[in-house]
Amino acid sequence: AYEIPKRDWSSDVCSSDLAMNTRMAKRNGAIIGLYKCGYTRKELAAITGLSPSRIGQILNNPLAVTPQP
């Protein structure tokens, strides 16, 4: 019978991808928090350097952590 060797499974996931997704999730959370405090999409775009449409995407779907092309 074939046996799968034990190994460090964390190496299967690119650590740079995890770091980027973590940063983006934190950024998205900050954007949502500022929006709830009264900042407009235009103000958030100016603060973050993202487009107003990207700000709208984040506000509409905060769990979607995808890089902006």
Side-chain angles (χ1 to χ4, degrees):
Y2 179 76
E3 184 176 318
I4 298 174
K6 291 183 179 180
R7 62 189 179 118
D8 180 7
W9 292 99
S10 64
S11 64
D12 289 350
V13 178
C14 180
S15 61
S16 63
D17 289 344
L18 289 174
M20 181 177 67
N21 286 344
T22 300
R23 285 191 307 272
M24 292 177 73
K26 287 180 180 179
R27 179 204 66 198
N28 291 359
I31 289 170
I32 293 164
L34 290 172
Y35 184 74
K36 288 181 178 180
C37 288
Y39 284 80
T40 66
R41 290 179 186 202
K42 187 175 180 179
E43 291 169 327
L44 292 170
I47 291 168
T48 62
L50 299 174
S51 69
S53 64
R54 181 67 179 139
I55 296 293
Q57 290 173 344
I58 292 167
L59 294 174
N60 291 331
N61 190 5
L63 298 178
V65 181
T66 54
Q68 183 176 6

